[in-house]
Amino acid sequence: MLTDISEHPLASHYLTVLRNKETCSEDFRRASDCMTRLLIAEASRILEVDTFTVETPLEVTQGAAIKAGVVVVPILRAGLGMLDAALEILPSASVGYIGLERDEETAIASCYYSKFPELTDVQRVFVIDPMLATGGSARDAISQIKKLGANKVTMVCIVAAPEGIKLLNDAFPEVDVIAGVVDRQLDTRKYILPGLGDFGDRLFAT
């Protein structure tokens, strides 16, 4: 299932900051953090909670806490730009890492690093990557995660292309995709249009 939050006024605002080629790295990072918080809050709607009673200053009422077993997996390197904000929303989450590098000519990604916590009995794995373009990196990351025993996976991205959504849905129809916005298409270089350029380069000023 696809959820696109671009109609949210705050999402629309921060997406515009990210798209603007005149946005400096500092403002780009701030907008990325804000978008990530919105996306993780939306993605977290499906999380399970434990309920218990809690005392307010006035009386006893019912409370809730997120059940253990949430894992956040950034796809390196651009996914690192979403990690801190994701952990602000889910501070008790464990973190896994997967490094996938895309060949600029073929657009095929190869894995150069991976490290994960135990995934067999986790409640939910959130894979985070700002750009879901061809979908190859997301598909490869989720494939590795599922091989390690995770059954409930959600893909969280700031900008997605229809091509990437289709590829991911064809490979893993059970995986939810939470996107800031779904853009028009990929260009011949596999960049998203209208997009926002190379997210990692703009985030890290490289």
Side-chain angles (χ1 to χ4, degrees):
M1 182 180 72
L2 169 68
T3 300
D4 176 340
I5 69 166
S6 60
E7 294 302 314
H8 191 296
L10 287 173
S12 178
H13 171 84
Y14 290 116
L15 282 165
T16 300
V17 175
L18 292 169
R19 289 194 194 279
N20 189 344
K21 69 177 184 179
E22 302 300 330
T23 298
C24 65
S25 292
E26 180 181 359
D27 291 341
F28 191 91
R29 291 166 186 159
R30 186 179 297 113
S32 173
D33 285 349
C34 292
M35 273 301 302
T36 300
R37 292 188 193 100
L38 291 172
L39 289 162
I40 294 296
E42 179 64 33
S44 298
R45 286 178 181 271
I46 58 175
L47 292 180
E48 299 173 0
V49 298
D50 292 316
T51 58
F52 53 91
T53 58
V54 62
E55 279 193 65
T56 79
L58 300 175
E59 64 181 30
V60 175
T61 188
Q62 187 174 27
I66 300 295
K67 284 186 176 180
V70 177
V71 179
V72 178
V73 179
I75 298 178
L76 308 183
R77 71 176 169 145
L80 287 176
M82 300 174 70
L83 180 60
D84 286 348
L87 293 179
E88 288 180 11
I89 301 294
L90 299 168
S92 63
S94 300
V95 179
Y97 294 91
I98 182 164
L100 294 167
E101 186 172 25
R102 188 178 79 164
D103 185 292
E104 294 299 329
E105 293 184 5
T106 66
I108 297 173
S110 58
C111 180
Y112 63 87
Y113 178 79
S114 65
K115 188 173 181 62
F116 300 101
E118 174 60 47
L119 297 178
T120 305
D121 297 316
V122 299
Q123 179 191 168
R124 177 68 52 172
V125 177
F126 293 114
V127 179
I128 55 175
D129 194 6
M131 309 295 280
L132 180 64
T134 65
S137 295
R139 178 196 57 200
D140 293 350
I142 292 170
S143 178
Q144 286 200 40
I145 288 165
K146 283 186 167 288
K147 286 177 182 177
L148 292 172
N151 292 315
K152 297 179 179 179
V153 181
T154 298
M155 182 72 207
V156 181
C157 58
I158 293 175
V159 180
E163 295 91 333
I165 293 169
K166 182 180 185 307
L167 185 143
L168 200 58
N169 186 64
D170 289 345
F172 303 108
E174 76 284 0
V175 171
D176 293 330
V177 177
I178 311 296
V181 66
V182 178
D183 272 357
R184 187 175 72 252
Q185 67 186 70
L186 299 178
D187 68 9
T188 56
R189 299 181 301 159
K190 308 301 182 184
Y191 278 86
I192 301 174
L193 297 175
L196 47 79
D198 188 298
F199 195 98
D201 285 351
R202 298 190 67 191
L203 183 74
F204 299 116
T206 55

